[in-house]
Amino acid sequence: MTSFAFVFPGQGSQSVGMLDAWGDHPVVAQTLAEASDAMGEDIAKLIHEGPKEALGLTTNTQPVMLVSAVAAYRVWLAEGGAVPRVVAGHSLGEYSALVASGVLTLAQAAPLVRFRAQAMQDAVPVGTGAMAAILGMSADKVIAGCAEAQATFGAASLEVVEAVNFNDPGQTVIAGSKAAVEKACEVLKANGAKRALPLPVSAPFHSSLMKPAADRLKEKLAATTFAPAEIPLVNNIDVSIETDADRIRDALYRQAFGPVRWVECVAAIKARGVTTLVECGPGKVLAGMTKRIDAELTGLPLFDPASLADVKAALA
């Protein structure tokens, strides 16, 4: 069998009815029931009916993405799929990876992710933070452009803009205060970026402005019991595999206000002998990034029965 990893997506791939293609699969129904019990609300109804605006709220997006990804992973195992050699998750997706690796149960992770989302939303008032995707420019030039933009506000300014998601060699996401992100977009386009696309998000995720949210999350993580990992997990913040519970907690804390080093995560996964990365959960974002990061790797999406069959065939 081909050596493969499972990777789990973050926010942005959610859609109303994203689990409908699984029909009445008992594993999906059980996963939804488990998450609904843990959160005290009907997650199945939210995913099936939306509306889109409700799914787009960070406090809903993070838990529904977690639940949808875990459901797909459980179906994979139930349908005879093999355990991956390694797992990882992009941003929020790291929590899905922690469930897949056995470090957290879904009943632990769903309320934890909801708390994380609320803390992030509370940290920066809606409309005062922003994010943008910078396309067609190397990461080092994006970092330099952010520094250049921030410097225009003066040393005493509270305006902040930082590179926060290193998605692929030609795509880096920046985040920070709205004025600083807008200025950085101007500077980066002037410096040669092909495009600077504002992202429809409600908070500047992974920027230093999320530190207050991370501090709240740290307390919650300290009260959460972590089990030993059954599958190695490459984390986003250090691009390392941790086995000590306190080190995993610390990485999750720092991940909330630190960058997602996805290009390096993919390289670390490849270094473990993996040739195929299966994106488990809604969407095809990570599968697409995989090829752009390393042409020798294969990225495959797994989000419904048809794509599950395709993955099985490709890995056989």
Side-chain angles (χ1 to χ4, degrees), residues 192-232:
K194 285 184 182 175
R195 300 183 75 186
L197 301 174
L199 298 179
V201 296
S202 56
F205 302 118
H206 298 289
S207 74
S208 57
L209 296 178
M210 290 287 103
K211 178 71 163 52
D215 290 340
R216 289 175 60 191
L217 179 63
K218 190 174 190 176
E219 293 180 21
K220 191 68 85 172
L221 290 167
T224 303
T225 301
F226 285 58
E230 297 163 9
I231 307 170

Side-chain angles (χ1 to χ4, degrees), residues 32-53:
L32 288 166
E34 194 179 322
S36 296
D37 286 347
M39 296 181 65
E41 68 176 275
D42 191 344
I43 290 295
K45 183 178 181 185
L46 176 63
I47 293 172
H48 177 62
E49 298 180 7
K52 181 181 177 181
E53 294 72 23

Side-chain angles (χ1 to χ4, degrees), residues 231-308:
I231 307 170
L233 186 157
V234 178
N235 69 28
N236 324 159
I237 190 71
D238 300 317
V239 196
S240 65
I241 293 171
E242 302 293 355
T243 54
D244 177 75
D246 284 338
R247 291 178 68 89
I248 295 171
R249 287 188 186 94
D250 183 58
L252 290 173
Y253 158 68
R254 289 181 291 113
Q255 184 231 50
F257 65 99
V260 176
R261 297 162 60 185
W262 193 248
V263 173
E264 292 171 88
C265 286
V266 171
I269 290 169
K270 182 185 180 183
R272 295 181 72 86
V274 168
T275 57
T276 301
L277 278 68
V278 178
E279 178 178 5
C280 186
K284 304 176 182 180
V285 173
L286 301 184
M289 284 181 194
T290 297
K291 204 69 174 174
R292 295 195 295 274
I293 292 170
D294 190 326
E296 293 182 354
L297 295 173
T298 299
L300 300 172
L302 194 171
F303 56 86
D304 63 8
S307 57
L308 186 148

Side-chain angles (χ1 to χ4, degrees), residues 131-136 142 165 167 170-175 181 185 188-189 193-199:
M131 298 182 77
I134 310 303
L135 307 181
V142 174
N165 288 2
N167 286 339
Q171 184 196 121
T172 302
V173 174
I174 63 173
V181 169
C185 288
L188 291 164
K189 281 193 283 189
K194 285 184 182 175
R195 300 183 75 186
L197 301 174
L199 298 179

